Amino acid sequence: MGLYEILGIQDNWTDAEIATYLSMQRSVWNSRRVSPKESERREADLRVRQIDVLEGAEARLGDFIHPALVIKTLCVAIDNRYSDYYGLEEGLIRSCSLGNFRGEFRSVMGYLNQIGEKDLLRAWKETLEELGVEIPMPRKKRPEEEVRRQERRQQEESSGKREQRAETQQVRRRSSSGREGEVLNSIFRAIRRFFRKIKRAFRRIRWSEIPKRIWAVMAVILAAVVVLVVLIGRVNTSKRAAAEQKAQEDAAAAASLAAEEQVKQEQEALLTALKGMDNFRLRTDEAEFSTYQGVKPASCNASSVLVGTTGKSYGTEYLFDADLATSWQEGEDGDGVGVSITSIFASKTQVRGIAFWNGNEISQEKFEANNRLKDITVSVGCGGQTWSASYTLQDAMGEQVILFDQPVPMESVVIRIDSVYNGSVYQDTVLSELSFLEDDSAANASGDMTESGEADSSAADG
């Protein structure tokens, strides 16, 4: 099925109807460019480009006696050989604008006859008859026997001409080689005579009678020549050095641009990886994250820490001790909104998820008495790039994990409290445990199985 049938254009439509229909078809195919199937997206892209071409041609062709026939021919050109379309379109436009239907439309008929579009060729002939354009009669073919006789005669003539041409060239070579030898001998004889004359002239010179002034002038001239030769050599050397220096500078500039482009590409790839934080699932089923290992950061600090009446500090060291009886607690007045926990890794770590043991997990009574984290913002830094994402934790005891669809590279992580679940007794916001998870395969490859990871895994199992 060709493009004309796929688009569903009718042969009897006017120019305005075709323009309106092509615009509507473009909207239909354009809406399919976001299809989940790649094959449908590719086909939609191709159809939109083809409709753009047809719309542009239709707008420039103007009012024509059979507009659908023009569009049909252009569709056939696109179906068969897309590269031939442009010349065909220019011929049609030039014919319509100048009123010269004869030559250009004949070229269209020749094209249609070449690709075997007999129906379209018949339609064009009818159109040319309506316009009064004379259709040339096809030439009569000569009989096959006469054609063969003519081919043999031409072969015999060409072979005879080739032999005659070869003989002529051979004669010319011989004559030219003889003339070249004579010319070379005469040149050598002239050179020998010249050097003999110089030798005789030097013998006739009485060197003792030459004045000292002449000798001084000759010495000055010789010194000037030597100085000139030295200067020319130095100039050439400086030019070569300048050219080499410029080439080195150009190479250094090209290397610098390549390095900058590589850094830019690496930063873009890193930012794409960080954006993976946006695709996550909040999971509480231990079976879904049992294959991940915990990674302990090199350091962890909080913007606020509660100090009890006995002087005990509820610091961030309790977040990674694998003990649910201990916890970090913020010490701000109020609910602790805006308080943040900052963790820094020893090196770039591929984190697949972040595990939380929300609230005070000593008992259900303690859990309900203190504030628990609700809405949080996680800001990740890596390689000079940063990315932030917001999450909502469940108000429930036990491990809950923000599980990303793919590992996210992290060098530092800041967890900020945006809202809390209010406690029934205390306003202090509590977090019992925190763990950063990576794939078990990545943990084994790096050989960095920390004690925190083993402890967090055992805590999750408990």
Side-chain angles (χ1 to χ4, degrees), residues 375-389:
D375 295 316
I376 60 173
T377 297
V378 178
S379 301
V380 171
C382 186
Q385 296 284 355
T386 59
W387 191 257
S388 298

Side-chain angles (χ1 to χ4, degrees), residues 26 75 189-190 203 349 407 424 442:
R26 190 186 187 283
C75 287
R189 286 194 295 269
R203 287 178 178 176
T349 303
S424 60

Side-chain angles (χ1 to χ4, degrees), residues 253-266:
S256 177
L257 289 175
E260 291 178 359
E261 183 65 23
Q262 183 177 1
V263 170
K264 182 180 178 182
Q265 293 177 357
E266 290 176 354

Side-chain angles (χ1 to χ4, degrees), residues 190-451:
I191 292 173
R192 283 196 295 269
R193 285 196 300 268
F194 174 74
F195 280 107
R196 288 196 196 103
K197 289 180 181 180
I198 291 177
K199 186 177 181 181
R200 285 194 293 269
F202 268 93
R203 287 178 178 176
R204 288 195 294 266
I205 295 175
R206 296 179 179 179
W207 300 98
S208 60
E209 298 178 359
I210 296 176
K212 294 181 179 180
R213 187 177 298 172
I214 300 299
W215 284 109
V217 171
M218 293 174 62
V220 170
I221 293 174
L222 181 60
V225 171
V226 172
V227 171
L228 183 62
V229 171
V230 172
L231 290 177
I232 292 174
R234 289 186 176 181
V235 169
N236 291 334
T237 303
S238 62
K239 286 184 178 179
R240 284 195 298 270
E244 291 176 358
Q245 183 178 1
K246 187 177 183 304
Q248 292 176 357
E249 292 176 353
D250 292 342
S256 177
L257 289 175
E260 291 178 359
E261 183 65 23
Q262 183 177 1
V263 170
K264 182 180 178 182
Q265 293 177 357
E266 290 176 354
Q267 291 293 318
E268 290 177 352
L270 178 59
L271 184 58
T272 302
L274 292 178
K275 290 181 180 179
M277 293 174 57
D278 295 338
N279 301 320
F280 71 96
R281 296 163 293 165
L282 186 63
R283 291 291 182 264
T284 58
D285 186 1
E286 183 180 335
E288 296 191 35
F289 45 81
S290 60
T291 58
Y292 302 122
Q293 298 291 335
V295 182
K296 185 178 180 179
S299 64
C300 182
N301 297 291
S303 60
S304 177
V305 174
L306 175 65
V307 178
T309 56
T310 61
K312 179 181 178 180
S313 175
Y314 296 87
T316 56
E317 63 272 13
Y318 295 122
L319 291 175
F320 302 97
D321 63 354
D323 187 0
L324 295 179
T326 61
S327 60
W328 165 81
Q329 301 183 20
E330 54 82 24
E332 295 290 316
D333 293 336
D335 294 331
V337 173
V339 173
S340 60
I341 302 171
T342 302
S343 300
I344 299 177
F345 295 97
S347 61
K348 182 171 70 174
T349 303
Q350 299 291 337
V351 176
R352 185 61 188 274
I354 304 176
F356 297 84
W357 283 263
N358 202 3
N360 193 335
E361 302 244 355
I362 294 177
S363 64
Q364 183 68 34
E365 181 181 358
K366 293 285 187 179
F367 180 83
E368 296 175 356
N370 291 276
N371 288 351
R372 289 86 63 193
L373 279 66
K374 182 180 180 182
D375 295 316
I376 60 173
T377 297
V378 178
S379 301
V380 171
C382 186
Q385 296 284 355
T386 59
W387 191 257
S388 298
S390 298
Y391 309 101
T392 300
L393 300 180
Q394 295 181 1
D395 188 17
M397 295 180 66
E399 183 179 8
Q400 50 184 303
V401 177
I402 298 173
L403 195 62
F404 308 128
D405 287 352
Q406 61 184 12
V408 177
M410 298 183 184
E411 292 177 352
S412 63
V413 184
V414 178
I415 301 174
R416 188 188 67 207
I417 302 174
D418 296 331
S419 66
V420 298
Y421 297 104
N422 292 319
S424 60
V425 179
Y426 306 107
Q427 285 188 307
D428 304 323
T429 301
V430 180
L431 183 62
S432 293
E433 286 291 320
L434 178 64
S435 181
F436 300 97
L437 306 180
E438 68 175 356
D439 289 335
D440 193 11
S441 58
N444 292 332
S446 63
D448 190 18
M449 292 289 291
T450 64
E451 295 180 359

